[in-house]
Amino acid sequence: MAWVVELNGVDPSDGLAKTKVFSLGAGYAFTDSTFAPTGLVSWRSPSQKVDVSKDGGVTLTADAGQIVISNLPADIGSAGPWDVLRTWAWHGRRANLYYTPDTWANRTLIATGTLQQPVAPLNANGSSVTSTLQFPLRDPRSPLSAPLQPTKYLGNNAAGTGVEGDSDLKNKPKPVLYGVVSNIPGVLVCKEKNVWQLADKSAGVLCAREGGAAFTAGTARGTLASLLSTTPTAGTYDTYAGSEGTFVRLCGTPQYPVTFDAYEGATSADRTHAQIWKRIRTERCDNVAGDITAASVTATDALAANEVGFWKNDETTRLDLINEVLTSLSGYEVLGFDSKWSIAQLVAPSGTTVLDFLTLTPTSTLKTKSRPIAGLTMVRPGFAPEGCPPYRVNVNWGKNYTVMSRADFVGGVAVQAPRLIDKFGLEWRTEKADNTAIWNPATSTGPYPQAPQLTVDTGYQPGADNLTCPHAATEATRLIALYSAMPGQFQLDFIPAVTDRILPGDVVSVTYGQMGLSGGPLFRVLQAGWVLDEKGPQATLVVGFQV
């Protein structure tokens, strides 16, 4: 049996993608002809971490990882056996740690990471030399740091034609739309013909307004050329949606701010957090449908089935948009050991445990899932850095993408629909839920007068009455119950078996004589780190939301 690391890179000598494998300890020749030379000194996983910030949003980070490969030369003054690897292209490619009981074909994936180019600390003097190659490992989400929208406006409109904008739009990103959104400004791409672009793909237009007053929907044009060549009837707007994007042409030159309501996704069921997350992953993040765990999407839809929406028209990254969707959900994503991405909402732990941790005593009875605790430390959750539970959760909903002052409204709107001034005068509407046992601001009573309040920005849209958002109120109630209980959070160290494959989101139990753990309460795994060196494997978990 052997521990083997597999590095995927590109050999510059021939431009071909290749792999290099190294074993911990002695080199290992497998019976199916694969050979892993010695060289692996250590592996430290870039462990994915789920947390809740002190502001209230779920955050996703990762501790940096590292692979160390021995590169000791035969003698002082000689080249290291693996010097050539410093010239390979490793950045952004995968590294995998395997346990191999016999054949290479029977290997088990233990951990994975995204490679950066290696560094080579050298320590030489007159009588000795040591040398290693150290490969930093990034969070598997690190490729999401690429720009969300690589397609930019050319800014080359000529004589009032085209939809690439004038020079002021040159190199600015085209707008991105997911779900349903309200009061977006769009992008004015042809000033002479009053044409706005709402999205870089085909979408639906629900409404066009000037100064809060709605235009009448006109003709849906079959081509972009038709939209550009035909002036809409007075008081109306025409649309075109196709491979070039979604565009609106107004009947004349506006005097007040122009805004739009729009949507993408065929039905409301296609505009949930999970469905939008899946589309962003497969349309913007170099994933295909097979990279997504379908069951996780179904399970998340069952918990959060309401419509949401997100719109971007500025320079931002894939990571920013994914995080915005996950924060809105109070959820997270995880790359599984099957190399598939899953989505989940952060909820209290329940159901079957993957492992059960306990204090080892002479009378302990160990079962298949039992693991002795090597170390246990109580820590504070991110949303309570001073240890004080929150007394309130605010859930912001119905984002207004164009905040308007009274001067921005057509005069008649103030009389005919004053609610629009209230609606479009604020960026958010808010639902809140309190735990008055923590602190009651109305009576100034409770044990925690300095208790914080948490705020979550969501993509939730109004309910059936188009005025209120019952699902935002439900979410606020759910979150205050989850957070204000100040559930226990612990760092737990243990010696893992090779079959222990733990990810954030898994459920474990912890049985310990102190700190309310004697009954073996359940915990949600928030972080799972793996270290392998000459001492063997060691694992560290952060577990929280004790029930």
Side-chain angles (χ1 to χ4, degrees), residues 359 376 378 490 510-521 523 546:
T359 305
L376 189 65
M378 187 174 181
F490 295 85
V510 180
T511 304
Y512 192 78
Q514 296 177 268
M515 306 305 294
L517 303 178
S518 60
F523 287 86
Q546 171 185 343

Side-chain angles (χ1 to χ4, degrees), residues 36 44 92 100 131 146 167 174 232 237 302 333 338 391 393 405 412 414 515 528 534 547:
R44 185 175 73 249
T100 55
S131 179
S167 59
K174 295 189 175 183
Y237 66 94
E333 64 176 5
D338 56 0
Y391 79 93
V393 169
S405 68
M515 306 305 294
E534 73 279 358
V547 295

